[in-house]
Amino acid sequence: MGVKRRQGSGDQMDLFDEALKASLRHGVTGEGGTGAGTCGERQAPAAWDRNRTLAQHLMERIASSANLNQAYKRVKANDGAPGVDGMTVAALRPWVAENRERLIASLLDGSYRPKPVRGVEIPKPGGGMRQLGIPTVVDRLVQQAIAQVLEPILDPLFSVSSFGFRPGRGSHDALRQAQKHVASGYGIVVDLDLEKFFDRVNHDILMARLARRVGDKRLLRIVRRFLQAGMMADGVCIERHEGTPQGGPLSPLLANLLLDDLDKELESRGHRFCRYADDCNIYVRSQAAGERVMASVTSFLEKRLRLKVNQEKSAVAPVEERQFLGYRLRADGSLFIASKSITRVKERLRRITRRNRGIAFARMIAEVNAFTTGWVTYFRHIQSPSTLRDLDGWIRRKLRCARLKQCKRVFAIARFLQSKGVPAWRAWIAAKSGKGWWRLSHSPGVQEAMDTEWFGSIGLVSLAHRYAALNSAGNRRIR
């Protein structure tokens, strides 16, 4: 069967159109199916009745050509590592061309079975390791297709104080709301940390929450199979009876669905709070009130949702003593960069500017710029740029170390410094000093040769300058 092309669309062609039509011609609609085409193609999403408790015939929407084609584009754009079968994103297109009819049929009759996820551990910013589960590319395609249909149904029901992994919402929106709570006099924060949240999600509780809104049993069966898919690590497949591994397109939506119970409980109690994924801050007026809230919310989480609160990382404290999404709030609601965020950015920059990397200095500068561009953009809402100026100086010193190390020998160092306008006597004093690279980078001759203007001339972008540009007219900070 040929692949139907859209004129001028290249890879954005409709891979699934003919397969869906063939499945429907053969009556593969599954239980509850209509056999009359897909809801997603017959009516606009805005026309769906979002107030219904149960959503029927969702597999027809999920298996629609429009939805599957959109899912393919998203998976292709996100790229990512292969799963246990070794299939790359680039290999997904030919696989779909050969197997699309069978894939759609398995979705419509509810028989689709995912493969195990590939377990990968990555270091957590605060120490320790985080377990990721990487689904196969085909499973990512199916999860993305499911998420695209479930999100318009579930997301409007979520709390206005939930900000993580939701369309049109983000971390800066959460910070803006936190600022309002703190500026209103709620200066004590109940900072809740859920211990290994994604690894401890109870499948039965989560599926019960999903079944409240989804009446299509085919979809419920497939979602449970995704939850129960084993994890392959070191050649061994481990069965999973709890948890929804991070790494799949569906996990964030399911996490929000489960934690919406927490949001609704806090709303019913009249609390002011902000939740971003499993990071929840509740704002109160006094330490005593905070201790009471901590005890009652911990009991709710552990008894109702079977989740465990990490007592070591959770705390009740003035907002100045805690961090939220990498920022630190003050009592007046102003924002500053948290000390842990400074530590993390320095760790990353140390790896980029490592003196024994053996890469060209221009490439090192480019990598620093590429990383700091996104970092400063995220922290553009701080009230004082002095931290960025200090970090600028620290970056320049690290780069001076790297450039001097590339010279290797005393004569080469002296010649390099002289080429930058340093008098010969000062250049030789620096080159023959015998100091370590870090101390040498701070000597007068070296700073004169590689000053701020020189770094600007070779392309290093100042964090403070980028911050000023981001906060110019039309790009105001969170107030």
Side-chain angles (χ1 to χ4, degrees), residues 404 413-431 443-451:
L404 290 171
I413 293 174
R415 185 172 59 183
F416 170 74
L417 296 179
Q418 290 180 70
S419 72
K420 303 306 175 189
V422 179
W425 63 272
R426 183 179 290 177
W428 279 103
I429 288 175
S443 62
V446 172
Q447 291 191 80
E448 181 181 342
M450 293 182 279
D451 59 9

Side-chain angles (χ1 to χ4, degrees), residues 30-50:
E31 64 182 66
T34 63
T38 64
C39 294
E41 294 176 330
R42 294 170 65 86
Q43 60 184 14
W48 302 345
D49 183 2
R50 293 179 177 175

Side-chain angles (χ1 to χ4, degrees), residues 361-372:
F361 193 63
R363 178 182 167 186
M364 189 176 289
I365 294 286
E367 289 185 14
V368 169
N369 285 340
F371 170 67
T372 57

Side-chain angles (χ1 to χ4, degrees), residues 244-377:
T244 171
Q246 299 180 71
L250 193 56
S251 292
L253 181 63
L254 296 179
N256 274 333
L257 175 63
L258 181 64
L259 289 175
D260 189 57
D261 274 23
L262 170 62
D263 299 340
K264 296 299 192 291
E265 178 69 15
L266 295 177
E267 288 176 344
S268 69
R269 299 182 185 184
H271 288 309
R272 290 165 171 80
F273 70 98
C274 297
R275 183 177 65 78
Y276 191 94
D278 58 336
D279 192 354
C280 183
N281 280 3
I282 307 167
Y283 299 92
V284 296
R285 291 186 181 274
S286 69
Q287 185 74 20
E291 298 291 350
R292 290 194 299 271
V293 170
M294 174 67 82
S296 62
V297 172
T298 298
S299 176
F300 173 85
L301 287 167
E302 295 184 349
K303 293 180 179 179
R304 185 76 66 85
L305 299 182
R306 307 286 179 84
L307 298 172
K308 186 175 182 181
V309 174
N310 189 324
Q311 299 296 338
E312 293 183 0
K313 294 184 178 180
S314 300
V316 179
V319 290
E320 298 95 331
E321 298 178 12
R322 307 296 293 180
Q323 67 168 357
F324 184 47
L325 301 177
Y327 279 84
R328 180 169 58 88
L329 281 83
R330 289 188 175 174
D332 61 356
S334 57
L335 293 170
F336 293 82
I337 303 177
S339 58
K340 288 184 179 180
S341 297
I342 297 296
T343 300
R344 291 170 190 166
V345 71
K346 285 187 173 182
E347 289 175 354
R348 177 66 180 274
L349 289 168
R350 283 191 184 97
R351 292 195 294 270
I352 295 174
T353 60
R354 198 171 64 248
R355 295 191 290 274
N356 60 355
R357 288 191 66 196
I359 63 173
F361 193 63
R363 178 182 167 186
M364 189 176 289
I365 294 286
E367 289 185 14
V368 169
N369 285 340
F371 170 67
T372 57
T373 295
W375 189 83
V376 175
T377 300

Side-chain angles (χ1 to χ4, degrees), residues 24-100:
L24 292 175
R25 280 198 302 270
H26 289 86
V28 182
T29 59
E31 64 182 66
T34 63
T38 64
C39 294
E41 294 176 330
R42 294 170 65 86
Q43 60 184 14
W48 302 345
D49 183 2
R50 293 179 177 175
N51 295 322
R52 290 189 307 172
T53 302
L54 299 178
Q56 299 285 354
H57 314 315
L58 289 183
M59 288 311 302
E60 278 70 36
R61 301 179 192 176
I62 291 166
S64 72
S65 59
N67 187 58
L68 286 170
N69 280 310
Q70 182 62 30
Y72 167 76
K73 295 172 188 176
R74 291 287 299 274
V75 171
K76 185 174 182 293
N78 292 336
D79 201 4
V84 295
D85 60 357
M87 183 190 295
T88 64
V89 172
L92 177 60
R93 178 180 175 76
W95 185 94
V96 167
E98 184 176 347
N99 298 277
R100 53 192 173 184

